[in-house]
Amino acid sequence: MYLSKIIEIVGASSSEPSQNILISHLLTDSRKSSHPSSTLFIAIKGERHDGHHYIPKLIERGFRFFLVSTTYDLSLSDKRGVYISVEDTLASLQQLAAHKRSLFQSPIVAITGSNGKTIVKEWLYYILSEKYAIVKSPKSYNSQLGVALSLWPLDHQHQAGIFEAGISERGEMKKLEKMISPTHGIITNIGSAHDEGFESRAQKVKEKLILFKNCKYLIYRKDHSLIDEHITNNNYAFEAVSWATDATETDFHVTYHIKKSTTHISLWKEGTSWNFQVPFIDKASLENITHCIVLCLQGGQRFQVLQERLSSLRAVDMRMALIQGINQCYLVNDVYNNDLVGLKMALDFASQQFIDKKHSLIISDFLETGSHEKQFLDELEKLLGDYHLHKVIGIGPVVSKQNFITEGWESTADLLKSDRLTTLFDEELVLIKGARAFEFEKIVAELAQKKHQTELKIDLDAIAHNLNYYRAKLQAGTKVLAMVKAFGYGSGSHEVAQLLQYQQIDYLGVAYVDEGVSLRKAGIHVDILVLNSSEHEFDRLIEYKLDPEVYSLKQLTSLIAYTNKTKKVINVHIKLDTGMHRLGFLEHEVDEMLSLLEQEDYVNVVGVFSHLASAECKEDEAFTKLQIEQFSDVSEKIEQRLNKKIIKHILNTSGVSRFPEAQFDMVRIGIGMYGVSSVTEEQKHLQVVGYLHSTISQIKLLKKGETVGYNRKGKITKEVQKIGIIPIGYADGYDRRFGYGVGKVMVNGSIVPTIGAICMDMCMLDLTGVEVKDGDQVEMFGDNIDLYQLADAIGTIPYELLTNISQRVARVFVSD
């Protein structure tokens, strides 16, 4: 779209009279790569960030076109930029999206609901994309911003579009409907998500149905009574097409027949019946796939074609995963689709990780390019050229023969047979992106470092959410130090630090010098505070630009002697002991400490801090306030004596919530960022970060009187009990105290206890009454097994459970 047309659509004027410039890309996140010469940056002001602040950096990177708010002072702007001023940049972006949509005459499917939107969209795309060229929402782009960005790629090549829409409060769906203007719709279900934004669940249903006001027809499940009541009791213009397993008056009658790992789905409508087989048995997947089937049947899809696509569906993780690989590599696993928009997002994500490593790509043929293959390949080559990749490995008869490919193979099987795969990469970040037909999961399996069947999945998006939850509590200008000590509370320090750096954190905190050095070597450049250091590590502190905590006269004297001898400057934070009585200067030691510092040129005090002993406990509130008062007095004295402004910080995670008046210059966020809060009322606002999963290795049927495990203390008390063995034990961090039924896990929707003792490498479960088979997943903790309840069961705290998870348990990092 030409810049002049954009200006006309949003009703604005430009700072530059020459507007005959083609804009091909939109950008709202200044941290991501794009095509500067043909990109329009939309400066959006949110609760925590203002896109206008990043315009100068974008100018230096070659960007020239900006959609800005009228409040942005153009007189102070860089004259190299072209600025389009509007009242509301997000509203103007939505106008552009609506205009794009108005030019598109092919069918548009919109999907909303409390759960399952993304899965239904992806499965529907997979089913239909073999026949049609389809554009869809990337990932979970269903917000006011996400939908607008999703619509931008619409053009004449596409024969249909599939978009999801999500809302959190009243008034939002009207804006989404105006942009998407769907011709067909699916509402998946209604649940508790975002209940706080509506007066009632019924009001939320009414709001969601606004999306379909101009649809030809809407697919919904009649068994969801609240949705059904609103549709049947209101005079909507769309045709309501219902399906149900329980209700009798419905368009499609559905029954499920589960057989081991597959389900036969039977549908009947007005004398016509269909029978499909799908590779799922869980209720959520069956509901999601039935929505897809009904839409396809209603649209006239042929049975045979539909069954072929359904048979090859897989329950895929909808998010990118960062995995440790062989040869000191990291893998970004994003194999569930390979459209160009998704590829760009994956390349952006990869470019933010381990910037010290070379970045490479394994890519397959794109199977849904239609008749525009040459144009598509030209766009692909141009896109890959923007990311300066070290290697591009092509798999497939088309992409493997392109000039921009470093090495290529006709198929995944050919690559695996060649024995080349394990030597292709060395100390690289490898993005793996391919169509499902190429089975790239086999490539991931070969390149992944750890084969342990137990893994800790870390949700990077949840960490970002929790961080921003606490940021929202801070006064303007208050800095944040994020703790990544103890291997990121068990989560993985390098990977979490990369995320936090991307989130523009002010400081990172580690326990030991080795941790800080490791982060620097991983490409982390933000300031790092080291809480424990010794005299023999002063050289490494300076070499790697780490700020040590200085906590005693002996340590300070040694540091002064070292810096005077080497003539090297070091930044430090002074630690005060205001009542925790661990490390730190007591109040009577402060004068002597300051006397030493006042004569010192090389030890540069940049911060002073203390640690609250009991911030989470209401009964100790008076003591905490005394700590804060003492810290305030002593830190002010330090500033006066040193005649300089320094960063003052005392609040930890609990303190941020309970003592907002004591934020000073910076706060320290630790366990709360990882989804655990000591303040009960705020736990519901945090998202789960860690998911510890294992798998069933073997199942046994034992008779009454037999025993399980060491010392024969696991007793079989029923006539027959089903016992499952899983590969996780106390060497993996699963505490021995969870034995003998104390520990509870979830298997296929059922909570089951341990039986017998926890062994070093495995433990046993009582699976009596549960439908289960070898290889089924076991949730040790996560969404359904609460970390707090587990900790209470053995008399400890969640911190211990997280940090005890051993290094031999594979960490998998996922992100949208």
Side-chain angles (χ1 to χ4, degrees):
M1 188 181 293
Y2 283 102
L3 188 63
S4 56
K5 185 64 178 178
I6 290 175
I7 294 169
E8 177 189 332
I9 292 168
V10 301
S13 59
S14 170
S15 64
E16 171 62 48
S18 176
Q19 300 151 5
N20 192 26
I21 296 162
L22 185 64
I23 298 296
S24 302
H25 309 279
L26 302 180
L27 184 67
T28 59
D29 188 338
S30 64
R31 298 165 295 189
K32 294 183 177 179
S33 301
S34 191
H35 307 76
S37 62
S38 59
T39 293
L40 176 67
F41 177 74
I42 296 101
I44 293 177
K45 186 174 183 179
E47 293 181 9
R48 306 177 189 93
H49 299 289
D50 186 347
H52 298 84
H53 295 162
Y54 308 107
I55 290 176
K57 290 183 179 179
L58 288 166
I59 289 278
E60 295 306 316
R61 288 166 50 195
F63 290 84
R64 292 294 180 265
F65 310 109
F66 304 93
L67 185 66
V68 299
S69 169
T70 51
T71 59
Y72 184 63
D73 191 348
L74 293 180
S75 66
L76 302 177
S77 63
D78 193 307
K79 303 309 178 188
R80 291 174 289 177
V82 176
Y83 304 93
I84 303 169
S85 296
V86 295
E87 287 291 328
D88 185 331
T89 53
L90 177 57
S92 293
L93 171 59
Q94 292 175 337
Q95 284 180 279
L96 291 176
H99 177 78
K100 269 271 192 161
R101 167 64 183 97
S102 70
L103 303 175
F104 190 75
Q105 302 305 313
S106 298
I108 294 286
V109 179
I111 304 164
T112 193
S114 294
N115 303 103
K117 295 184 293 293
T118 304
I119 283 285
V120 170
K121 177 199 67 187
E122 294 297 334
W123 282 349
L124 196 58
Y125 172 80
Y126 178 74
I127 292 167
L128 298 175
S129 59
E130 187 175 46
K131 184 177 180 181
Y132 304 101
I134 297 176
V135 62
K136 64 180 176 68
S137 311
K139 304 294 182 182
S140 299
Y141 271 39
N142 56 39
S143 66
Q144 299 292 312
L145 174 60
V147 167
L149 294 174
S150 299
L151 288 163
W152 179 258
L154 271 173
D155 64 26
H156 66 279
Q157 298 181 46
H158 300 118
Q159 298 169 287
I162 307 173
F163 300 95
E164 56 179 290
I167 56 173
S168 58
E169 59 185 37
R170 289 185 65 186
E172 290 185 330
M173 192 59 88
K174 183 178 180 180
K175 298 176 183 177
L176 298 183
E177 190 281 330
K178 187 175 181 180
M179 285 189 283
I180 302 173
S181 188
T183 56
H184 306 77
I186 296 174
I187 182 166
T188 58
N189 49 52
I190 197 72
S192 61
H194 304 297
D195 272 354
E196 65 276 10
F198 303 90
E199 293 177 6
S200 66
R201 197 76 57 86
Q203 186 190 70
K204 183 163 61 175
V205 172
K206 183 179 179 180
E207 179 78 12
K208 287 182 178 291
L209 289 173
I210 290 173
L211 179 62
F212 310 111
K213 67 176 187 177
N214 294 312
C215 277
K216 293 179 180 178
Y217 56 78
L218 170 68
I219 307 298
Y220 78 100
R221 184 174 184 175
K222 198 175 183 68
D223 301 314
H224 295 312
S225 58
L226 197 56
I227 296 174
D228 184 54
E229 286 171 14
H230 271 270
I231 291 175
T232 54
N233 295 333
N234 290 278
N235 188 27
Y236 287 105
F238 55 73
E239 177 189 355
V241 179
S242 64
W243 66 272
T245 56
D246 300 325
T248 53
E249 295 182 7
T250 184
D251 296 298
F252 287 85
H253 296 268
V254 179
T255 57
Y256 300 127
H257 304 280
I258 298 174
K259 295 183 178 181
K260 294 186 178 180
S261 59
T262 63
T263 300
H264 292 270
I265 303 179
S266 299
L267 298 95
W268 178 82
K269 180 187 180 184
E270 298 175 352
T272 303
S273 62
W274 302 265
N275 292 284
F276 299 97
Q277 183 173 321
V278 297
F280 308 104
I281 61 173
D282 64 287
K283 291 181 180 179
S285 293
L286 293 177
E287 178 176 274
N288 291 334
I289 198 58
T290 305
H291 284 310
C292 297
I293 291 172
V294 171
L295 182 94
C296 291
L297 292 176
Q298 185 71 14
Q301 287 291 304
R302 290 189 299 114
F303 168 80
Q304 191 60 41
V305 174
L306 186 52
Q307 179 58 73
E308 287 176 3
R309 299 300 275 177
L310 290 173
S311 297
S312 56
L313 272 181
R314 294 293 178 267
V316 292
D317 195 330
M318 305 309 299
R319 300 189 296 177
M320 285 174 274
L322 183 65
I323 306 168
Q324 288 181 325
I326 61 174
N327 303 332
Q328 295 183 291
C329 290
Y330 270 84
L331 315 177
V332 178
N333 180 11
D334 191 26
V335 302
Y336 81 92
N337 70 39
N338 67 335
D339 58 283
L340 271 184
V341 175
L343 175 60
K344 185 182 185 308
M345 292 180 65
L347 287 166
D348 281 335
F349 175 78
S351 68
Q352 300 152 18
Q353 312 299 320
F354 296 95
I355 56 178
D356 62 315
K357 290 182 179 292
K358 295 171 289 188
H359 289 189
S360 294
L361 169 69
I362 303 177
I363 192 170
S364 78
D365 278 354
F366 286 66
L367 300 181
E368 292 87 30
T369 59
S371 59
H372 306 275
E373 186 176 279
K374 175 64 168 62
Q375 178 183 341
F376 180 86
L377 290 170
D378 289 343
E379 291 178 9
L380 176 61
E381 182 175 11
K382 190 173 186 298
L383 174 63
L384 297 182
D386 290 335
Y387 289 87
H388 309 293
L389 296 166
H390 179 58
K391 297 189 192 91
V392 180
I393 307 302
I395 310 295
V398 176
V399 75
S400 63
K401 295 179 175 62
Q402 302 307 307
N403 292 332
F404 54 83
I405 295 298
T406 310
E407 296 185 50
W409 282 265
E410 286 273 327
S411 67
T412 300
D414 289 342
L415 171 58
L416 295 173
K417 289 176 187 174
S418 71
D419 294 328
R420 177 78 173 102
L421 182 58
T422 55
T423 60
L424 262 176
F425 308 104
D426 184 38
E427 295 189 38
E428 297 171 49
L429 182 82
V430 184
L431 170 60
I432 303 171
K433 184 82 173 163
R436 295 180 205 175
F438 286 88
E439 299 181 308
F440 270 18
E441 59 271 16
K442 294 180 180 178
I443 294 177
V444 174
E446 287 297 313
L447 292 178
Q449 182 187 55
K450 296 185 177 181
K451 310 296 183 182
H452 201 307
Q453 290 174 289
T454 298
E455 68 178 26
L456 179 63
K457 186 174 289 187
I458 309 299
D459 188 335
L460 296 176
D461 296 329
I463 292 177
H465 167 87
N466 297 338
L467 170 65
N468 286 327
Y469 169 77
Y470 288 105
R471 273 178 164 169
K473 294 176 174 289
L474 304 181
Q475 299 156 10
T478 304
K479 298 178 183 293
V480 177
L481 183 152
M483 301 303 302
V484 292
K485 62 180 182 176
F487 194 53
Y489 288 77
S491 300
S493 54
H494 291 181
E495 298 83 359
V496 172
Q498 294 280 355
L499 167 73
L500 295 171
Q501 181 167 270
Y502 180 71
Q503 291 290 328
Q504 300 179 332
I505 205 74
D506 300 291
Y507 254 94
L508 294 174
V510 299
Y512 297 105
V513 175
D514 285 344
E515 293 176 317
V517 170
S518 181
L519 291 180
R520 287 285 186 245
K521 289 181 176 180
I524 301 300
H525 55 73
V526 300
D527 291 328
I528 298 176
L529 173 63
V530 180
L531 301 180
N532 294 280
S533 61
S534 57
E535 295 177 21
H536 72 277
E537 295 173 310
F538 291 159
D539 56 340
R540 291 205 300 162
L541 288 168
I542 294 173
E543 179 184 356
Y544 290 97
K545 297 181 180 178
L546 306 173
D547 300 355
E549 163 191 320
V550 174
Y551 52 83
S552 72
L553 291 170
K554 179 179 181 296
Q555 182 200 25
L556 177 59
T557 302
S558 297
L559 183 59
I560 289 173
Y562 177 83
T563 55
N564 278 305
K565 180 180 178 181
T566 60
K567 308 299 182 186
K568 293 179 179 179
V569 176
I570 187 169
N571 293 335
V572 304
H573 287 242
I574 300 299
K575 175 70 176 291
L576 302 178
D577 182 357
T578 57
M580 183 76 167
H581 296 328
R582 293 192 308 192
L583 299 177
F585 290 95
L586 293 166
E587 190 169 7
H588 71 266
E589 298 174 307
V590 170
D591 283 331
E592 187 175 352
M593 175 261 290
L594 288 172
S595 296
L596 291 170
L597 288 170
E598 285 171 328
Q599 305 171 40
E600 177 53 37
D601 295 325
Y602 298 106
V603 177
N604 180 38
V605 178
V606 296
V608 58
F609 72 109
S610 188
H611 200 110
L612 297 178
S614 193
E616 67 274 17
C617 297
K618 291 184 179 180
E619 58 268 28
D620 287 330
E621 191 166 309
F623 181 81
T624 300
K625 289 182 176 179
L626 284 176
Q627 278 194 274
I628 293 170
E629 183 180 350
Q630 183 184 350
F631 174 74
S632 180
D633 292 342
V634 176
S635 59
E636 183 178 346
K637 178 180 180 179
I638 291 172
E639 283 190 320
Q640 290 174 350
R641 288 277 297 272
L642 297 180
N643 193 29
K644 62 187 296 188
K645 173 69 176 173
I646 56 180
I647 301 171
K648 300 182 290 294
H649 49 111
I650 191 172
L651 296 186
N652 55 9
T653 301
S654 298
V656 169
S657 298
R658 300 201 63 241
F659 301 94
E661 72 281 2
Q663 291 177 12
F664 292 98
D665 304 300
M666 185 162 73
V667 299
R668 303 186 300 275
I669 307 298
I671 193 69
M673 194 168 62
Y674 301 93
V676 178
S677 174
S678 300
V679 181
T680 305
E681 54 267 27
E682 77 178 15
Q683 184 65 51
K684 64 182 179 181
H685 299 292
L686 301 180
Q687 293 182 0
V688 175
V689 168
Y691 300 81
L692 183 62
H693 291 158
S694 193
T695 56
I696 302 290
S697 298
Q698 188 180 19
I699 295 172
K700 297 176 182 290
L701 294 177
L702 302 181
K703 298 178 181 179
K704 187 174 183 178
E706 294 189 277
T707 59
V708 178
Y710 287 117
N711 302 318
R712 304 186 66 232
K713 290 186 177 179
K715 307 291 186 182
I716 301 299
T717 57
K718 300 176 183 176
E719 291 302 319
V720 177
Q721 281 180 241
K722 186 188 298 183
I723 305 301
I725 297 90
I726 58 175
I728 181 172
Y730 59 79
D732 302 296
Y734 195 60
D735 200 290
R736 291 185 73 246
R737 290 172 289 180
F738 285 129
Y740 308 111
V742 175
K744 304 291 191 300
V745 304
M746 175 167 277
V747 181
N748 292 343
S750 298
I751 304 293
V752 301
T754 60
I755 183 169
I758 305 299
C759 309
M760 178 181 285
D761 307 305
M762 62 192 73
C763 64
M764 288 68 74
L765 307 175
D766 185 351
L767 299 173
T768 305
V770 179
E771 284 294 324
V772 62
K773 62 183 183 303
D774 290 356
D776 281 356
Q777 189 177 84
V778 179
E779 179 186 316
M780 312 303 293
F781 63 71
D783 280 330
N784 303 291
I785 302 296
D786 184 73
L787 204 56
Y788 262 110
Q789 292 178 0
L790 283 179
D792 285 343
I794 60 172
T796 187
I797 56 177
Y799 297 64
E800 183 179 355
L801 298 186
L802 286 172
T803 57
N804 279 355
I805 299 171
S806 75
Q807 291 294 295
R808 74 178 189 176
V809 173
R811 267 72 172 175
V812 176
F813 300 86
V814 297
S815 173
D816 277 337

